[in-house]
Amino acid sequence: MLPAEGESNAAVAHFTVAGTETVLPGHYPGFAIFPGVCLVECARQGAQATLPPGAKGAELTAVESTRFTGPVFPGDRVDIAMEWKRTPTGDWQCRAKLTTGRGPAAGVRLRYGLPAAGRVAA
């Protein structure tokens, strides 16, 4: 995971779906496709690894939305572009866009909150 150049609250990550993923055989048998819930988990892992400086120690509090827009197949490289912003309530929101070489695959919006002692009044 790398911070995007010139943007302190943006980050990128990528992964390649291995043909040996244990979730593939049971998801649409005979037609291997990477499950959407696994894309959400990959976005969560990317977000957790790239928390902005003010969000260190924050924990996932909600998956606010997901939208699956294209299939992800074994062998696909998935790029995740993440943008972070502070919400008026003091939480952090991560908007992740997942793409493959064919185009958009998913959009995921995650909310992170600091433990009560670490919250800043809005």
Short mmCIF file of all heavy atoms in Angstrom, two decimals, residues 3 10 19 23-24 29 33-34 40 44 55 59 63 78 80 87 94 100 103-104 107 109 115:
data_model
loop_
_atom_site.label_atom_id
_atom_site.label_comp_id
_atom_site.label_asym_id
_atom_site.label_seq_id
_atom_site.Cartn_x
_atom_site.Cartn_y
_atom_site.Cartn_z
N PRO A 3 0.91 5.68 -0.26
CA PRO A 3 0.14 6.92 -0.34
C PRO A 3 0.22 7.46 -1.76
O PRO A 3 1.24 7.34 -2.42
CB PRO A 3 0.84 7.85 0.64
CG PRO A 3 2.03 7.15 1.14
CD PRO A 3 2.07 5.76 0.58
N ALA A 10 -5.10 10.13 0.50
CA ALA A 10 -5.39 9.16 -0.55
C ALA A 10 -4.34 8.06 -0.49
O ALA A 10 -3.21 8.29 -0.10
CB ALA A 10 -5.40 9.83 -1.92
N GLY A 19 -5.74 -18.32 -8.57
CA GLY A 19 -6.66 -19.37 -9.00
C GLY A 19 -6.89 -20.43 -7.94
O GLY A 19 -7.83 -21.22 -8.03
N VAL A 23 -12.20 -19.83 -1.86
CA VAL A 23 -13.60 -19.40 -2.03
C VAL A 23 -14.11 -19.62 -3.45
O VAL A 23 -15.32 -19.54 -3.69
CB VAL A 23 -13.77 -17.90 -1.66
CG1 VAL A 23 -13.43 -17.68 -0.19
CG2 VAL A 23 -12.93 -17.01 -2.56
N LEU A 24 -13.24 -19.87 -4.41
CA LEU A 24 -13.66 -19.95 -5.81
C LEU A 24 -14.50 -21.18 -6.17
O LEU A 24 -15.51 -21.03 -6.86
CB LEU A 24 -12.44 -19.86 -6.73
CG LEU A 24 -11.72 -18.50 -6.72
CD1 LEU A 24 -10.43 -18.58 -7.52
CD2 LEU A 24 -12.62 -17.40 -7.26
N PRO A 29 -20.39 -22.54 -8.95
CA PRO A 29 -19.65 -23.73 -9.42
C PRO A 29 -19.61 -23.79 -10.96
O PRO A 29 -20.60 -23.56 -11.63
CB PRO A 29 -20.45 -24.89 -8.84
CG PRO A 29 -21.09 -24.31 -7.61
CD PRO A 29 -21.43 -22.88 -7.99
N ILE A 33 -15.62 -17.05 -9.99
CA ILE A 33 -15.72 -15.60 -9.84
C ILE A 33 -15.41 -15.27 -8.37
O ILE A 33 -15.82 -16.00 -7.47
CB ILE A 33 -17.11 -15.09 -10.28
CG1 ILE A 33 -17.16 -13.57 -10.31
CG2 ILE A 33 -18.20 -15.65 -9.42
CD1 ILE A 33 -18.42 -13.02 -10.97
N PHE A 34 -14.67 -14.22 -8.13
CA PHE A 34 -14.27 -13.82 -6.78
C PHE A 34 -15.48 -13.19 -6.08
O PHE A 34 -16.08 -12.24 -6.61
CB PHE A 34 -13.12 -12.83 -6.87
CG PHE A 34 -12.32 -12.66 -5.60
CD1 PHE A 34 -11.71 -13.74 -4.99
CD2 PHE A 34 -12.14 -11.40 -5.05
CE1 PHE A 34 -10.94 -13.58 -3.85
CE2 PHE A 34 -11.38 -11.22 -3.91
CZ PHE A 34 -10.78 -12.32 -3.30
N VAL A 40 -14.96 -6.68 -0.45
CA VAL A 40 -15.15 -5.79 0.70
C VAL A 40 -14.03 -6.01 1.72
O VAL A 40 -13.46 -5.06 2.25
CB VAL A 40 -16.54 -5.99 1.35
CG1 VAL A 40 -16.67 -5.19 2.63
CG2 VAL A 40 -17.64 -5.62 0.37
N ARG A 44 -11.26 -3.43 3.11
CA ARG A 44 -11.07 -3.20 4.54
C ARG A 44 -9.60 -3.34 4.92
O ARG A 44 -9.05 -2.51 5.65
CB ARG A 44 -11.92 -4.17 5.37
CG ARG A 44 -11.82 -3.88 6.88
CD ARG A 44 -12.14 -5.09 7.72
NE ARG A 44 -11.18 -6.16 7.59
CZ ARG A 44 -9.98 -6.21 8.19
NH1 ARG A 44 -9.56 -5.21 8.96
NH2 ARG A 44 -9.17 -7.24 8.02
N ALA A 55 -6.12 9.29 12.06
CA ALA A 55 -7.03 8.17 12.29
C ALA A 55 -6.32 6.96 12.89
O ALA A 55 -6.93 5.90 13.03
CB ALA A 55 -7.71 7.77 10.99
N GLU A 59 -11.01 2.12 14.44
CA GLU A 59 -11.53 0.79 14.18
C GLU A 59 -12.72 0.88 13.24
O GLU A 59 -13.47 1.86 13.26
CB GLU A 59 -11.95 0.13 15.49
CG GLU A 59 -10.81 -0.01 16.48
CD GLU A 59 -11.29 -0.44 17.86
OE1 GLU A 59 -12.51 -0.46 18.11
OE2 GLU A 59 -10.42 -0.75 18.69
N VAL A 63 -19.80 -0.78 7.48
CA VAL A 63 -19.69 -0.84 6.03
C VAL A 63 -20.91 -0.06 5.56
O VAL A 63 -22.04 -0.55 5.64
CB VAL A 63 -19.71 -2.30 5.51
CG1 VAL A 63 -19.70 -2.32 3.99
CG2 VAL A 63 -18.54 -3.08 6.08
N VAL A 78 -6.42 -6.61 -9.00
CA VAL A 78 -7.41 -5.65 -8.54
C VAL A 78 -6.68 -4.47 -7.91
O VAL A 78 -5.87 -4.64 -7.00
CB VAL A 78 -8.38 -6.27 -7.51
CG1 VAL A 78 -9.40 -5.25 -7.02
CG2 VAL A 78 -9.10 -7.48 -8.12
N ILE A 80 -6.99 -0.91 -5.86
CA ILE A 80 -7.90 -0.25 -4.92
C ILE A 80 -7.41 1.18 -4.72
O ILE A 80 -6.30 1.40 -4.23
CB ILE A 80 -7.93 -0.96 -3.55
CG1 ILE A 80 -8.21 -2.46 -3.71
CG2 ILE A 80 -8.97 -0.32 -2.64
CD1 ILE A 80 -8.05 -3.25 -2.42
N THR A 87 -15.34 13.05 8.96
CA THR A 87 -16.76 13.39 8.93
C THR A 87 -17.05 14.46 9.99
O THR A 87 -16.25 14.67 10.90
CB THR A 87 -17.63 12.15 9.22
OG1 THR A 87 -17.44 11.77 10.59
CG2 THR A 87 -17.27 10.99 8.30
N CYS A 94 -13.73 6.08 4.50
CA CYS A 94 -12.87 5.66 3.41
C CYS A 94 -13.75 5.25 2.24
O CYS A 94 -14.61 4.38 2.38
CB CYS A 94 -12.00 4.48 3.84
SG CYS A 94 -10.94 3.84 2.50
N THR A 100 -10.37 -3.60 -12.19
CA THR A 100 -9.53 -4.60 -12.85
C THR A 100 -9.16 -4.04 -14.22
O THR A 100 -9.58 -2.93 -14.57
CB THR A 100 -10.28 -5.94 -13.04
OG1 THR A 100 -11.32 -5.75 -13.99
CG2 THR A 100 -10.84 -6.47 -11.72
N GLY A 103 -12.11 -2.73 -16.08
CA GLY A 103 -12.83 -1.55 -15.61
C GLY A 103 -13.29 -1.70 -14.17
O GLY A 103 -12.77 -2.54 -13.42
N PRO A 104 -14.28 -0.88 -13.76
CA PRO A 104 -14.75 -0.89 -12.37
C PRO A 104 -15.27 -2.27 -11.94
O PRO A 104 -15.94 -2.96 -12.70
CB PRO A 104 -15.88 0.13 -12.36
CG PRO A 104 -15.61 1.02 -13.54
CD PRO A 104 -14.97 0.12 -14.57
N GLY A 107 -17.42 -0.52 -5.60
CA GLY A 107 -17.22 0.67 -4.78
C GLY A 107 -17.62 0.32 -3.36
O GLY A 107 -18.66 -0.33 -3.15
N ARG A 109 -17.77 1.86 0.73
CA ARG A 109 -17.60 2.99 1.65
C ARG A 109 -17.58 2.45 3.08
O ARG A 109 -18.53 1.80 3.51
CB ARG A 109 -18.73 4.00 1.46
CG ARG A 109 -18.42 5.33 2.14
CD ARG A 109 -19.42 6.40 1.75
NE ARG A 109 -20.73 6.07 2.26
CZ ARG A 109 -21.86 6.20 1.56
NH1 ARG A 109 -21.85 6.64 0.33
NH2 ARG A 109 -23.02 5.88 2.10
N PRO A 115 -11.52 5.11 19.37
CA PRO A 115 -12.09 4.78 20.68
C PRO A 115 -12.53 6.08 21.36
O PRO A 115 -11.98 7.15 21.09
CB PRO A 115 -10.92 4.13 21.43
CG PRO A 115 -10.02 3.61 20.33
CD PRO A 115 -10.18 4.58 19.20
#
